[in-house]
Structures are given as C-alpha cells and as structure tokens.
Amino acid sequence: MTTVAFIGLGNMGLPMSKNLLGAQMVVRGFDLSADALDGLRGAGGEGFISVGEAVKGADVVITMLPSGAIVKGVYEGEDGVLENAKEGALLIDSSTIDVDTARAVAEAASTKGFEMVDAPVSGGVGGAAAGTLAFMVGGTDTAFERAKSVLEPMAGKIVHCGPSGNGQAAKVCNNMLLAISMIGVSEAFNLGRALGLDDQVFFDVASNASGQCWSLTSYCPVPGPVPTSPANNDYKPGFATALMLKDLRLAMQAVSSVAANTPLGAKAAEIYTEMDENGHGGKDFSGVLKHLTGAL
C-alpha cells in the first residue's frame, strides 16, 4: 500500500486526503487545526503534530498550503519535508503559489535528491470532495508518471504542462482568463438589462452564439439560467472573490517577471481588488455582476 503524507488539511486538503483513503492508501496528515486532524482520523487516516513526523516513512508527500512563503518553509525548514522525508519519496505541491517559488522549491528538492512536481488544481471544494479536480502538473516526465497514480483518485483530469513551475503557470493563466471572462459576461448582462433585454433571452442567445463560454453556460452570474450557479444562492462562494484576487495577484506577479502585456488581466485585478476592499471578499467572484452596478 502506498503511504502518503498530506500536509494541509483545509477545505481542499481534507476531502482530497479522504479520496486517497478511499483508494486504499495510507494517509498520514498534518495541519495546524486540531479539528482538521480529527477529521482525517475520523476518516481512517493518521494525524501528526509536526510536518517532520508526518512525512517520515511516506512514499509520497502532498502539500496543499495557502502561500508560497508557507510552502517554502514547509519544504525547506528544519522540521520540514526535505530534512525528514525518506530517500526516494515523491513530492507533490498542489498549492496555488507563484511560479518563481515553485521552481525554487523544486530546485531545492532536486538538490536533496527528490523528484518533485507542482500540481495546482481547478474544481474547488466540490471537485475536491467528488474526486474530479483538474490537476495542472509541472515537472520532469518521470516525476509526472510517478505522480499520476497518486493524483488519479482525486482527479477528473490530469495534464502535464511541462517542466517545474509550468503547472503554476497554467493555473494563473487559466484563472486570469476566467476573471476576465466573468467580468465580460457580467457587463453583457448588465447592458442587456439596461436595454430591456430579459436575462433568460440573452442567455439563450449568447449560450448558442459566439459569446458562449464557461462563465456563461456553467457559472452564469445572473439567477435563473443555470440553477447550480452561486447567483441562485445569494452569491455564496463556490470560488470566493478573495481567492480569485489571490490568483490574479499571482498572475500580475508573473506578468511583471516576464514583462508580458496583459491590460485586461490588470483591469480584472483592479476590479476584484475594489470588490474585496468593499467588504465582499467572501462573496463568490461571479458577484462582480452586482459590484459593477454598485448593487452589491
């Protein structure tokens, strides 16, 4: 049986670890939250009070953490992964962090003799629970092949994006596109309303025309056309504005590092910053429809 150390048992990490347990893997977990550790133990996993203890003896180490600085500390710290993982363990970071840190940590791991991939995810808490996450993986071909069998119980889709850091690159590019498209869809609905166009009528037209996109047909920002979208639940988050803003800031950091030209990405970051500063960081990012009219 494969033994996995899972570091970071939050809203995403805990359900992901439960899917590994369901695939008959041994899961050794660490989190700062006692409740999170109890949740893992209740599902049949083992909880530990330090990173070093959790990773000892594990075949694979998976991290799901909130920032690049924390990822770097967890891997490179004195009680961290690189000092305590067994020889030959595979390292997988599924956090969403900046590309430069992802590549630096992978280099540190390689220096210590470990294979590592960055494998951020798309699909949210629902996808984590259902085991249908999309993994965007950066790393060598051999590391990717090793990682696939571990990721499969948590995944609906696994894509190898290239060398270390490219998983993070794909994630920030995708989410920048998502932010831009949601703002565009929201502006179109707001304009249609101002012109007297019914929401459902516009949806029926645009969803079958050249304006069709995921932000419209799967996550529609107006109530009605897509019953499962957060717009039908007072914009309670599937994907909170604060998380979208985090990803946009990572995208803008990447833009600066390579001197790319992304005016729409920059404007999207500005709009979501305003939304967050107005106290709506906990609302779903599709609530930007109401933010744009001052109604949120």
Side-chain angles (χ1 to χ4, degrees), residues 6-27:
F6 206 114
I7 313 301
L9 301 169
N11 291 334
M12 295 291 290
L14 184 57
M16 290 168 70
S17 67
K18 288 180 178 178
N19 282 321
L20 296 176
L21 288 166
Q24 306 305 308
M25 297 184 191
V26 175
V27 179

Side-chain angles (χ1 to χ4, degrees), residues 93-207:
D93 180 39
S94 285
S95 317
T96 295
I97 62 172
D98 62 285
V99 175
D100 289 343
T101 297
R103 287 175 175 161
V105 172
E107 179 63 28
S110 178
T111 299
K112 291 279 189 176
F114 294 103
E115 288 190 308
M116 183 172 185
V117 298
D118 51 290
V121 303
S122 179
V125 175
T132 57
L133 293 170
F135 284 87
M136 294 152 270
V137 185
T140 65
D141 290 344
T142 55
F144 173 71
E145 289 301 320
R146 287 183 67 189
K148 276 175 64 178
S149 63
V150 182
L151 298 178
E152 282 170 350
M154 304 179 284
K157 183 75 172 179
I158 304 170
V159 179
H160 189 199
C161 301
S164 293
N166 277 25
Q168 299 294 350
K171 175 69 183 286
V172 298
C173 291
N174 178 77
N175 279 22
M176 184 180 73
L177 175 59
L178 174 60
I180 293 167
S181 69
M182 182 57 74
I183 292 169
V185 169
S186 296
E187 288 187 349
F189 271 110
N190 285 336
L191 177 60
R193 288 174 169 182
L195 295 171
L197 189 61
D198 179 78
D199 286 344
Q200 185 65 53
V201 170
F202 177 64
F203 176 86
D204 290 343
V205 171
S207 63

Side-chain angles (χ1 to χ4, degrees), residues 231-262:
N232 295 288
N233 194 26
D234 193 32
Y235 298 98
K236 291 180 181 176
F239 189 48
T241 292
L243 294 177
M244 173 57 82
L245 182 55
K246 172 195 170 185
D247 289 355
L248 282 169
R249 286 172 173 162
L250 291 173
M252 293 304 99
Q253 183 176 339
V255 165
S256 296
S257 72
V258 295
N261 183 28
T262 60

